[in-house]
Amino acid sequence: MLLTINTDDPRPIYQQVADGIKQLIAGGKLEEGAALPPVRQLAADLGVNLNTIATAYRELQKEGLITVKHGSGSVVASLTSTERNQDELLRPLRTALTQMVLAGLPESKILRLVINELHLVGKGSK
Amino acid sequence: MPNDQFILLFYLFWWGARIRGFFRRWPQPLLRGSEWFFNVHVQPGFYAGPGKKILHRYRMRMFIPFVLDIPIVMAIFIPGYLQYFIWLLLAQAGVIHLNHVFSVDIAERQARRFAIADAEQPAAAISFSLQPRRLRDYTNPKVEWALVLSFLATFLWLLHYYFAAPEHHNLRQVFGVPVFYLYLQLGLLFVKQVIVAWRTPVPQTQAAEHIKAREETRKYYLLMCDLNRAAVAAATLFWPIVLTASPAASIRYRNLWIAVWVAITVVNGVWVEIKRKQLLKMALRARPVKLPDFLQQSEIARWPLCYQPSAPMLVLKGARGYSLNLANTLAQFGAVYLAGWVVLFAFLRMGH
């Protein structure tokens, strides 16, 4: 299972790593209980500061997507264990929808795009 | 066969392997074709122009270990200190490897000035595997149990031998050799850990080919480590056999041991050559790509040794070549391990 970091991407590296892992979890490629590489391995493979990967893992842990067990590493948490409420989850979606409306996209096209993206993200899950 | 002759035979075998390695490294810069110098995509006509000198210098540097060898061999051979040949070849193995690694790095840096401009741009996207790499993932429990049991059997046999008549045996003489081998085993396990930790960043293009080539090479080196560990375990088990046998039987066993060892070395040599060719074929399928340097390694690693706690790598590619990161846990373990050798030797020599 590969993850890709793009130097042209405006997002910081830790965000790209966190988002990449989130996508894999959402797509069912990383299942509940799957072990993630240690922070040191990922940081060395990418050639980045240890804190970069530690920050990405912290973000995933904060969102309840992974659990960090001392001594045995990080594993993908159960998807039902997320403690975030619906409002919090909807916030980025509202931002994206607002941008699409402001860009002048018709409602039907926005709906089509959202459905397509949902299919892409959820591809492979279940 | 007396000890000295055995060591001399061992040294001659070593020379055979060394010459083979020399001829393997000679054409290495051109393995990808005349458009390449090692992993640098060079401009047309490179080998007719500046490349000729760079290639010549690279090949001249290959002779450095031989030049270093001559005075040391004479210093050992003329007074007849043949037992030191073992230490010489262990040191030379390290020197040859380091000389090659640094020589390739120097040559590539020189060739980069004549590289095709686009090829020197770092890849925009870098991929990495999310598969955890731990020592246990590359460990065969059956092999480990066999090694542990062989050591246990040796020590139990030696304990029985020693306590049967403690007043007639020297503790260091009886247990010195297996303790030496046990420590060597620990060292080989440490080398395995370093190989497992070997970083695997790959460009997004041809990521699968790059990862396959890296993974196969990793497995090859790990297998070589395990073969050496098995050889060390066999040598450990052989020690009580020689120690407890009568002088005549002991010589017979030793000769048999040497014959078996020579046969295994020849078979292993052939296998290594075949395997190396397969790995090379695989490596050549993946086109070399320059990867982005997020840590600015040339800035933070200016000397052969550096201390960079925030950098997770054992070795950084610095401004003047490779730099060992002393802040890395593996480097610290390695230093402690080497210090352990000094303590062990001091302890073993105390009884002499």
Side-chain angles (χ1 to χ4, degrees), chain A residues 1-8 13 17 21 24 30 35-51 57 72, chain B residues 123-134 197-201 204 207-208 211 292 294-295 309-313 328-329:
Chain A
M1 198 175 311
L2 295 178
L3 212 61
T4 301
I5 295 299
N6 205 316
T7 47
D8 299 331
I13 294 170
V17 172
I21 294 174
L24 290 171
L30 271 175
L36 288 173
V39 170
R40 188 168 284 277
Q41 180 192 319
L42 268 197
D45 279 1
L46 269 174
V48 295
N49 196 304
L50 282 168
N51 284 331
Y57 274 31
S72 58
Chain B
I126 172 173
S127 294
F128 55 97
S129 170
L130 274 182
Q131 190 71 36
R133 279 196 316 271
R134 296 155 300 195
W198 182 36
R199 60 192 294 251
T200 321
Q204 195 184 20
I211 285 192
F294 297 114
L295 279 171
S310 57
M313 293 92 92
N328 189 285
T329 322

CSV table of all heavy atoms in Angstrom, one decimal, chain A residues 1-8 13 17 21 24 30 35-51 57 72, chain B residues 123-134 197-201 204 207-208 211 292 294-295 309-313 328-329:
chain,number,residue,atom,x,y,z
A,1,MET,N,0.8,-1.2,0.0
A,1,MET,CA,0.0,0.0,0.0
A,1,MET,C,0.9,1.2,0.0
A,1,MET,O,1.7,1.4,0.9
A,1,MET,CB,-0.9,0.0,1.3
A,1,MET,CG,-2.0,0.9,1.2
A,1,MET,SD,-3.0,0.6,2.7
A,1,MET,CE,-3.1,-1.2,2.7
A,2,LEU,N,0.7,2.1,-1.0
A,2,LEU,CA,1.6,3.2,-1.2
A,2,LEU,C,0.8,4.5,-0.9
A,2,LEU,O,-0.4,4.7,-1.1
A,2,LEU,CB,2.1,3.3,-2.6
A,2,LEU,CG,3.0,2.2,-3.0
A,2,LEU,CD1,3.4,2.3,-4.5
A,2,LEU,CD2,4.3,2.1,-2.1
A,3,LEU,N,1.6,5.5,-0.4
A,3,LEU,CA,1.1,6.8,-0.1
A,3,LEU,C,2.0,7.8,-0.9
A,3,LEU,O,3.2,7.5,-1.0
A,3,LEU,CB,1.2,7.1,1.4
A,3,LEU,CG,0.1,8.0,2.0
A,3,LEU,CD1,-1.3,7.4,1.8
A,3,LEU,CD2,0.3,8.2,3.5
A,4,THR,N,1.4,8.8,-1.4
A,4,THR,CA,2.3,9.7,-2.2
A,4,THR,C,2.2,11.1,-1.6
A,4,THR,O,1.2,11.6,-1.2
A,4,THR,CB,1.8,9.7,-3.7
A,4,THR,OG1,1.9,8.4,-4.2
A,4,THR,CG2,2.6,10.6,-4.6
A,5,ILE,N,3.4,11.7,-1.6
A,5,ILE,CA,3.6,13.1,-1.2
A,5,ILE,C,4.0,13.9,-2.4
A,5,ILE,O,4.9,13.6,-3.1
A,5,ILE,CB,4.7,13.2,-0.1
A,5,ILE,CG1,4.3,12.4,1.1
A,5,ILE,CG2,5.1,14.6,0.2
A,5,ILE,CD1,3.1,12.9,1.8
A,6,ASN,N,3.3,15.0,-2.6
A,6,ASN,CA,3.6,15.9,-3.8
A,6,ASN,C,4.2,17.2,-3.3
A,6,ASN,O,3.6,17.9,-2.5
A,6,ASN,CB,2.3,16.1,-4.5
A,6,ASN,CG,2.5,16.4,-6.0
A,6,ASN,OD1,3.5,17.1,-6.3
A,6,ASN,ND2,1.8,15.8,-6.8
A,7,THR,N,5.4,17.5,-3.9
A,7,THR,CA,6.0,18.7,-3.5
A,7,THR,C,5.3,20.0,-4.0
A,7,THR,O,5.5,21.1,-3.5
A,7,THR,CB,7.5,18.8,-4.0
A,7,THR,OG1,7.5,18.4,-5.4
A,7,THR,CG2,8.4,17.8,-3.2
A,8,ASP,N,4.5,19.8,-5.1
A,8,ASP,CA,3.7,20.9,-5.6
A,8,ASP,C,2.4,21.2,-4.8
A,8,ASP,O,1.8,22.2,-5.0
A,8,ASP,CB,3.3,20.7,-7.1
A,8,ASP,CG,4.6,20.5,-7.9
A,8,ASP,OD1,5.6,21.1,-7.6
A,8,ASP,OD2,4.5,19.8,-9.0
A,13,ILE,N,3.5,18.8,4.5
A,13,ILE,CA,3.7,17.3,4.4
A,13,ILE,C,2.9,16.5,5.4
A,13,ILE,O,2.3,15.5,5.1
A,13,ILE,CB,5.2,17.0,4.5
A,13,ILE,CG1,5.9,17.6,3.3
A,13,ILE,CG2,5.4,15.5,4.5
A,13,ILE,CD1,7.4,17.5,3.3
A,17,VAL,N,0.3,13.5,4.6
A,17,VAL,CA,0.4,12.2,5.2
A,17,VAL,C,-0.9,11.8,5.9
A,17,VAL,O,-1.5,10.8,5.6
A,17,VAL,CB,1.6,12.1,6.1
A,17,VAL,CG1,1.6,10.7,6.9
A,17,VAL,CG2,2.9,12.3,5.4
A,21,ILE,N,-3.6,8.9,4.7
A,21,ILE,CA,-4.0,7.8,5.5
A,21,ILE,C,-5.5,7.8,5.7
A,21,ILE,O,-6.2,6.7,5.7
A,21,ILE,CB,-3.2,7.8,6.9
A,21,ILE,CG1,-1.7,7.6,6.6
A,21,ILE,CG2,-3.8,6.7,7.9
A,21,ILE,CD1,-0.9,7.7,7.8
A,24,LEU,N,-7.2,6.3,2.8
A,24,LEU,CA,-7.0,4.8,2.7
A,24,LEU,C,-8.0,4.1,3.7
A,24,LEU,O,-8.5,3.1,3.5
A,24,LEU,CB,-5.6,4.4,3.1
A,24,LEU,CG,-4.5,4.8,2.0
A,24,LEU,CD1,-3.1,4.5,2.5
A,24,LEU,CD2,-4.8,3.9,0.7
A,30,LEU,N,-7.2,0.4,4.4
A,30,LEU,CA,-6.6,0.2,5.7
A,30,LEU,C,-7.8,-0.1,6.7
A,30,LEU,O,-8.6,0.7,7.0
A,30,LEU,CB,-5.9,1.5,6.2
A,30,LEU,CG,-4.5,1.7,5.9
A,30,LEU,CD1,-4.0,3.1,6.3
A,30,LEU,CD2,-3.6,0.7,6.5
A,35,ALA,N,-2.0,-2.4,11.3
A,35,ALA,CA,-0.8,-1.7,11.9
A,35,ALA,C,-0.3,-0.7,10.9
A,35,ALA,O,-0.1,-0.9,9.7
A,35,ALA,CB,0.3,-2.7,12.2
A,36,LEU,N,0.1,0.5,11.5
A,36,LEU,CA,0.7,1.5,10.7
A,36,LEU,C,2.2,1.5,11.0
A,36,LEU,O,2.6,1.1,12.0
A,36,LEU,CB,0.2,2.9,11.0
A,36,LEU,CG,-1.3,3.2,10.6
A,36,LEU,CD1,-1.7,4.5,11.2
A,36,LEU,CD2,-1.3,3.3,9.1
A,37,PRO,N,3.0,1.9,10.0
A,37,PRO,CA,4.5,1.9,10.3
A,37,PRO,C,4.8,2.9,11.5
A,37,PRO,O,4.1,3.9,11.7
A,37,PRO,CB,5.1,2.5,9.0
A,37,PRO,CG,4.0,2.5,8.0
A,37,PRO,CD,2.7,2.5,8.7
A,38,PRO,N,5.9,2.6,12.2
A,38,PRO,CA,6.3,3.5,13.2
A,38,PRO,C,6.7,4.8,12.7
A,38,PRO,O,7.1,4.9,11.5
A,38,PRO,CB,7.6,2.8,13.8
A,38,PRO,CG,7.6,1.4,13.3
A,38,PRO,CD,6.8,1.4,12.0
A,39,VAL,N,6.6,5.9,13.5
A,39,VAL,CA,6.9,7.2,13.1
A,39,VAL,C,8.3,7.3,12.5
A,39,VAL,O,8.5,7.9,11.4
A,39,VAL,CB,6.8,8.2,14.3
A,39,VAL,CG1,7.3,9.6,14.0
A,39,VAL,CG2,5.3,8.3,14.8
A,40,ARG,N,9.2,6.6,13.1
A,40,ARG,CA,10.6,6.7,12.7
A,40,ARG,C,10.8,6.1,11.2
A,40,ARG,O,11.5,6.7,10.4
A,40,ARG,CB,11.5,6.0,13.6
A,40,ARG,CG,13.0,6.1,13.4
A,40,ARG,CD,13.8,5.6,14.6
A,40,ARG,NE,13.8,6.5,15.7
A,40,ARG,CZ,14.6,7.6,15.8
A,40,ARG,NH1,15.5,7.8,14.8
A,40,ARG,NH2,14.5,8.4,16.8
A,41,GLN,N,10.1,5.0,11.0
A,41,GLN,CA,10.2,4.4,9.6
A,41,GLN,C,9.6,5.3,8.6
A,41,GLN,O,10.3,5.6,7.5
A,41,GLN,CB,9.4,3.1,9.6
A,41,GLN,CG,9.5,2.4,8.3
A,41,GLN,CD,8.5,1.2,8.1
A,41,GLN,OE1,8.3,0.5,9.1
A,41,GLN,NE2,7.8,1.1,7.0
A,42,LEU,N,8.4,5.9,8.8
A,42,LEU,CA,7.8,6.8,7.8
A,42,LEU,C,8.7,8.0,7.6
A,42,LEU,O,8.9,8.5,6.5
A,42,LEU,CB,6.4,7.2,8.3
A,42,LEU,CG,5.3,6.4,7.8
A,42,LEU,CD1,4.0,7.2,8.0
A,42,LEU,CD2,5.4,6.0,6.4
A,43,ALA,N,9.2,8.6,8.7
A,43,ALA,CA,10.0,9.8,8.6
A,43,ALA,C,11.3,9.5,7.8
A,43,ALA,O,11.7,10.3,7.0
A,43,ALA,CB,10.3,10.4,10.0
A,44,ALA,N,11.9,8.4,8.1
A,44,ALA,CA,13.1,8.0,7.4
A,44,ALA,C,12.9,7.8,5.9
A,44,ALA,O,13.6,8.2,5.1
A,44,ALA,CB,13.8,6.8,8.1
A,45,ASP,N,11.8,7.1,5.6
A,45,ASP,CA,11.5,6.7,4.2
A,45,ASP,C,11.2,8.0,3.4
A,45,ASP,O,11.7,8.1,2.3
A,45,ASP,CB,10.2,5.9,4.2
A,45,ASP,CG,10.6,4.4,4.4
A,45,ASP,OD1,11.7,4.1,4.6
A,45,ASP,OD2,9.7,3.5,4.4
A,46,LEU,N,10.6,9.0,4.1
A,46,LEU,CA,10.3,10.2,3.4
A,46,LEU,C,11.4,11.2,3.4
A,46,LEU,O,11.5,12.1,2.6
A,46,LEU,CB,9.1,10.9,4.0
A,46,LEU,CG,7.7,10.6,3.4
A,46,LEU,CD1,6.6,11.2,4.2
A,46,LEU,CD2,7.6,11.1,2.0
A,47,GLY,N,12.3,11.0,4.4
A,47,GLY,CA,13.4,11.9,4.6
A,47,GLY,C,12.9,13.3,5.2
A,47,GLY,O,13.4,14.3,4.8
A,48,VAL,N,12.0,13.2,6.2
A,48,VAL,CA,11.5,14.4,6.8
A,48,VAL,C,11.8,14.3,8.3
A,48,VAL,O,12.2,13.3,8.9
A,48,VAL,CB,10.0,14.6,6.6
A,48,VAL,CG1,9.7,14.8,5.1
A,48,VAL,CG2,9.2,13.4,7.1
A,49,ASN,N,11.6,15.5,8.9
A,49,ASN,CA,11.7,15.6,10.4
A,49,ASN,C,10.8,14.6,11.1
A,49,ASN,O,9.6,14.4,10.7
A,49,ASN,CB,11.4,17.0,10.8
A,49,ASN,CG,11.9,17.4,12.1
A,49,ASN,OD1,11.5,16.7,13.1
A,49,ASN,ND2,12.7,18.4,12.2
A,50,LEU,N,11.2,14.0,12.2
A,50,LEU,CA,10.4,13.1,13.0
A,50,LEU,C,9.1,13.8,13.4
A,50,LEU,O,8.0,13.1,13.4
A,50,LEU,CB,11.1,12.6,14.2
A,50,LEU,CG,12.2,11.6,14.1
A,50,LEU,CD1,13.1,11.4,15.3
A,50,LEU,CD2,11.6,10.2,13.7
A,51,ASN,N,9.2,15.1,13.7
A,51,ASN,CA,8.0,15.8,14.2
A,51,ASN,C,6.9,15.9,13.1
A,51,ASN,O,5.7,15.9,13.4
A,51,ASN,CB,8.3,17.2,14.7
A,51,ASN,CG,9.0,17.1,16.0
A,51,ASN,OD1,8.7,16.2,16.8
A,51,ASN,ND2,9.9,18.1,16.3
A,57,TYR,N,0.4,11.8,12.8
A,57,TYR,CA,-0.2,10.7,13.6
A,57,TYR,C,-1.0,11.3,14.8
A,57,TYR,O,-2.1,10.7,15.1
A,57,TYR,CB,0.9,9.8,14.2
A,57,TYR,CG,1.3,8.7,13.3
A,57,TYR,CD1,1.3,8.8,11.9
A,57,TYR,CD2,1.8,7.5,13.7
A,57,TYR,CE1,1.7,7.8,11.0
A,57,TYR,CE2,2.2,6.4,12.9
A,57,TYR,CZ,2.1,6.6,11.5
A,57,TYR,OH,2.5,5.6,10.7
A,72,SER,N,3.7,-1.2,20.9
A,72,SER,CA,3.2,-2.0,19.8
A,72,SER,C,2.9,-1.2,18.6
A,72,SER,O,2.4,-1.7,17.6
A,72,SER,CB,2.1,-2.9,20.2
A,72,SER,OG,1.0,-2.1,20.7
B,123,ALA,N,12.1,14.7,-8.3
B,123,ALA,CA,10.8,14.2,-8.6
B,123,ALA,C,9.8,15.0,-7.8
B,123,ALA,O,10.0,15.3,-6.6
B,123,ALA,CB,10.6,12.7,-8.3
B,124,ALA,N,8.7,15.4,-8.5
B,124,ALA,CA,7.7,16.2,-7.8
B,124,ALA,C,6.9,15.4,-6.8
B,124,ALA,O,6.4,15.9,-5.7
B,124,ALA,CB,6.7,16.8,-8.8
B,125,ALA,N,6.7,14.1,-7.0
B,125,ALA,CA,6.0,13.3,-6.1
B,125,ALA,C,6.8,12.1,-5.7
B,125,ALA,O,7.5,11.5,-6.4
B,125,ALA,CB,4.7,12.8,-6.9
B,126,ILE,N,6.7,11.8,-4.4
B,126,ILE,CA,7.5,10.7,-3.8
B,126,ILE,C,6.5,9.8,-3.1
B,126,ILE,O,5.6,10.2,-2.4
B,126,ILE,CB,8.5,11.3,-2.8
B,126,ILE,CG1,9.2,10.2,-2.0
B,126,ILE,CG2,8.0,12.3,-1.9
B,126,ILE,CD1,10.4,10.7,-1.2
B,127,SER,N,6.7,8.5,-3.3
B,127,SER,CA,5.8,7.5,-2.7
B,127,SER,C,6.5,6.7,-1.6
B,127,SER,O,7.7,6.7,-1.7
B,127,SER,CB,5.3,6.5,-3.8
B,127,SER,OG,4.5,7.2,-4.7
B,128,PHE,N,5.8,6.2,-0.7
B,128,PHE,CA,6.4,5.3,0.3
B,128,PHE,C,5.4,4.3,0.7
B,128,PHE,O,4.1,4.5,0.6
B,128,PHE,CB,6.9,6.2,1.5
B,128,PHE,CG,5.8,7.1,2.1
B,128,PHE,CD1,5.1,6.6,3.2
B,128,PHE,CD2,5.5,8.3,1.5
B,128,PHE,CE1,4.1,7.4,3.8
B,128,PHE,CE2,4.5,9.1,2.1
B,128,PHE,CZ,3.9,8.7,3.2
B,129,SER,N,5.9,3.2,1.3
B,129,SER,CA,5.0,2.1,1.6
B,129,SER,C,4.5,2.3,3.0
B,129,SER,O,5.2,2.8,3.9
B,129,SER,CB,5.8,0.8,1.5
B,129,SER,OG,5.0,-0.2,2.1
B,130,LEU,N,3.2,1.9,3.2
B,130,LEU,CA,2.6,2.0,4.6
B,130,LEU,C,2.7,0.6,5.3
B,130,LEU,O,2.1,0.4,6.3
B,130,LEU,CB,1.2,2.4,4.5
B,130,LEU,CG,0.9,3.9,4.5
B,130,LEU,CD1,-0.6,4.2,4.4
B,130,LEU,CD2,1.5,4.6,5.7
B,131,GLN,N,3.5,-0.3,4.7
B,131,GLN,CA,3.7,-1.6,5.3
B,131,GLN,C,4.8,-1.5,6.4
B,131,GLN,O,5.9,-1.0,6.2
B,131,GLN,CB,4.3,-2.5,4.2
B,131,GLN,CG,4.3,-4.0,4.6
B,131,GLN,CD,2.9,-4.6,4.7
B,131,GLN,OE1,2.0,-4.3,3.9
B,131,GLN,NE2,2.7,-5.5,5.7
B,132,PRO,N,4.4,-1.8,7.7
B,132,PRO,CA,5.4,-1.7,8.7
B,132,PRO,C,6.6,-2.6,8.5
B,132,PRO,O,6.4,-3.8,8.1
B,132,PRO,CB,4.6,-2.1,10.0
B,132,PRO,CG,3.2,-2.1,9.7
B,132,PRO,CD,3.1,-2.3,8.2
B,133,ARG,N,7.8,-2.1,8.7
B,133,ARG,CA,9.0,-3.0,8.6
B,133,ARG,C,9.6,-3.2,9.9
B,133,ARG,O,10.2,-2.3,10.5
B,133,ARG,CB,10.0,-2.3,7.7
B,133,ARG,CG,9.8,-2.4,6.2
B,133,ARG,CD,11.0,-2.0,5.4
B,133,ARG,NE,11.7,-0.8,5.9
B,133,ARG,CZ,11.4,0.4,5.5
B,133,ARG,NH1,10.5,0.6,4.6
B,133,ARG,NH2,12.1,1.4,6.0
B,134,ARG,N,9.4,-4.4,10.5
B,134,ARG,CA,10.0,-4.7,11.8
B,134,ARG,C,10.9,-5.9,11.6
B,134,ARG,O,10.7,-6.7,10.7
B,134,ARG,CB,9.0,-5.0,12.8
B,134,ARG,CG,8.1,-3.7,13.1
B,134,ARG,CD,6.7,-4.2,13.6
B,134,ARG,NE,6.0,-5.0,12.7
B,134,ARG,CZ,4.7,-5.3,12.7
B,134,ARG,NH1,4.0,-4.8,13.7
B,134,ARG,NH2,4.2,-6.0,11.8
B,197,ALA,N,15.8,-1.4,8.7
B,197,ALA,CA,15.5,0.0,8.8
B,197,ALA,C,15.9,0.8,7.5
B,197,ALA,O,15.5,2.0,7.4
B,197,ALA,CB,16.2,0.6,10.0
B,198,TRP,N,16.6,0.2,6.6
B,198,TRP,CA,17.1,0.9,5.4
B,198,TRP,C,15.9,1.6,4.7
B,198,TRP,O,14.9,0.9,4.4
B,198,TRP,CB,17.7,-0.2,4.5
B,198,TRP,CG,18.3,0.3,3.2
B,198,TRP,CD1,19.0,1.5,3.0
B,198,TRP,CD2,18.3,-0.4,2.0
B,198,TRP,NE1,19.4,1.5,1.7
B,198,TRP,CE2,19.0,0.4,1.1
B,198,TRP,CE3,17.8,-1.7,1.6
B,198,TRP,CZ2,19.1,0.0,-0.3
B,198,TRP,CZ3,18.0,-2.0,0.3
B,198,TRP,CH2,18.6,-1.2,-0.6
B,199,ARG,N,16.0,2.8,4.5
B,199,ARG,CA,14.9,3.6,4.0
B,199,ARG,C,14.5,3.3,2.6
B,199,ARG,O,15.4,2.9,1.8
B,199,ARG,CB,15.2,5.1,4.2
B,199,ARG,CG,16.3,5.7,3.5
B,199,ARG,CD,16.6,7.1,4.0
B,199,ARG,NE,15.6,8.0,3.6
B,199,ARG,CZ,15.7,8.9,2.7
B,199,ARG,NH1,16.9,9.1,2.1
B,199,ARG,NH2,14.7,9.7,2.5
B,200,THR,N,13.2,3.4,2.3
B,200,THR,CA,12.7,3.1,0.9
B,200,THR,C,11.9,4.2,0.3
B,200,THR,O,10.7,4.0,0.1
B,200,THR,CB,11.9,1.7,1.0
B,200,THR,OG1,12.6,0.9,1.9
B,200,THR,CG2,11.8,1.1,-0.3
B,201,PRO,N,12.4,5.3,0.1
B,201,PRO,CA,11.6,6.3,-0.6
B,201,PRO,C,11.7,6.1,-2.1
B,201,PRO,O,12.7,5.7,-2.6
B,201,PRO,CB,12.3,7.7,-0.3
B,201,PRO,CG,13.7,7.3,-0.1
B,201,PRO,CD,13.8,5.8,0.3
B,204,GLN,N,7.1,8.6,-7.6
B,204,GLN,CA,5.7,8.1,-7.9
B,204,GLN,C,5.7,7.3,-9.2
B,204,GLN,O,5.0,6.3,-9.4
B,204,GLN,CB,4.8,9.2,-8.0
B,204,GLN,CG,3.3,8.8,-8.0
B,204,GLN,CD,2.4,10.0,-8.2
B,204,GLN,OE1,2.8,11.0,-8.7
B,204,GLN,NE2,1.2,9.9,-7.8
B,207,ALA,N,6.9,3.4,-9.2
B,207,ALA,CA,7.0,3.1,-7.8
B,207,ALA,C,7.1,1.6,-7.5
B,207,ALA,O,7.9,1.1,-6.7
B,207,ALA,CB,5.8,3.7,-7.1
B,208,ALA,N,6.2,0.8,-8.2
B,208,ALA,CA,6.2,-0.6,-8.0
B,208,ALA,C,7.5,-1.3,-8.3
B,208,ALA,O,8.1,-2.1,-7.5
B,208,ALA,CB,5.1,-1.3,-8.8
B,211,ILE,N,10.1,-0.2,-5.6
B,211,ILE,CA,9.9,-0.9,-4.3
B,211,ILE,C,10.3,-2.4,-4.4
B,211,ILE,O,10.9,-2.9,-3.5
B,211,ILE,CB,8.4,-0.7,-3.9
B,211,ILE,CG1,8.3,0.7,-3.4
B,211,ILE,CG2,8.0,-1.7,-2.8
B,211,ILE,CD1,7.1,1.0,-2.6
B,292,PRO,N,13.3,14.5,-3.8
B,292,PRO,CA,13.4,15.8,-3.1
B,292,PRO,C,14.1,15.7,-1.7
B,292,PRO,O,14.0,14.6,-1.0
B,292,PRO,CB,12.0,16.2,-2.9
B,292,PRO,CG,11.1,15.0,-3.1
B,292,PRO,CD,11.9,14.1,-4.0
B,294,PHE,N,13.9,17.0,1.7
B,294,PHE,CA,13.1,17.8,2.6
B,294,PHE,C,13.9,18.3,3.8
B,294,PHE,O,13.6,19.3,4.4
B,294,PHE,CB,11.9,17.0,3.1
B,294,PHE,CG,10.9,16.6,2.0
B,294,PHE,CD1,10.8,15.3,1.7
B,294,PHE,CD2,10.2,17.6,1.3
B,294,PHE,CE1,9.9,14.9,0.7
B,294,PHE,CE2,9.3,17.2,0.4
B,294,PHE,CZ,9.1,15.9,0.1
B,295,LEU,N,15.0,17.6,4.1
B,295,LEU,CA,15.7,18.0,5.3
B,295,LEU,C,16.9,18.9,5.0
B,295,LEU,O,17.7,19.2,6.0
B,295,LEU,CB,16.2,16.7,6.0
B,295,LEU,CG,15.2,15.9,6.9
B,295,LEU,CD1,15.8,14.6,7.3
B,295,LEU,CD2,14.8,16.7,8.1
B,309,PRO,N,19.4,15.2,15.9
B,309,PRO,CA,18.3,14.4,16.5
B,309,PRO,C,17.0,14.4,15.8
B,309,PRO,O,16.2,13.5,15.9
B,309,PRO,CB,18.1,15.1,17.9
B,309,PRO,CG,19.3,15.9,18.1
B,309,PRO,CD,19.9,16.3,16.7
B,310,SER,N,16.7,15.5,15.0
B,310,SER,CA,15.5,15.6,14.3
B,310,SER,C,15.4,14.8,13.0
B,310,SER,O,14.4,14.5,12.5
B,310,SER,CB,15.1,17.1,14.0
B,310,SER,OG,16.2,17.6,13.2
B,311,ALA,N,16.6,14.4,12.5
B,311,ALA,CA,16.7,13.6,11.3
B,311,ALA,C,16.6,12.1,11.7
B,311,ALA,O,17.3,11.7,12.5
B,311,ALA,CB,18.0,13.9,10.6
B,312,PRO,N,15.6,11.4,11.1
B,312,PRO,CA,15.4,10.0,11.5
B,312,PRO,C,16.4,9.0,10.8
B,312,PRO,O,16.4,7.9,11.2
B,312,PRO,CB,14.0,9.7,11.0
B,312,PRO,CG,13.8,10.7,9.9
B,312,PRO,CD,14.7,11.8,10.0
B,313,MET,N,17.2,9.5,9.9
B,313,MET,CA,18.1,8.6,9.2
B,313,MET,C,19.4,8.3,9.9
B,313,MET,O,19.9,9.1,10.5
B,313,MET,CB,18.4,9.1,7.8
B,313,MET,CG,17.2,9.2,6.9
B,313,MET,SD,16.4,10.8,7.0
B,313,MET,CE,17.2,11.6,5.7
B,328,ASN,N,21.1,9.0,15.9
B,328,ASN,CA,20.3,7.9,15.5
B,328,ASN,C,20.5,6.8,16.5
B,328,ASN,O,21.7,6.5,16.8
B,328,ASN,CB,20.6,7.5,14.1
B,328,ASN,CG,19.6,6.4,13.6
B,328,ASN,OD1,19.6,5.3,14.0
B,328,ASN,ND2,18.6,6.9,12.8
B,329,THR,N,19.5,6.1,17.0
B,329,THR,CA,19.6,5.1,18.0
B,329,THR,C,20.5,3.9,17.5
B,329,THR,O,21.3,3.4,18.2
B,329,THR,CB,18.2,4.5,18.3
B,329,THR,OG1,17.3,5.6,18.3
B,329,THR,CG2,18.2,3.8,19.6
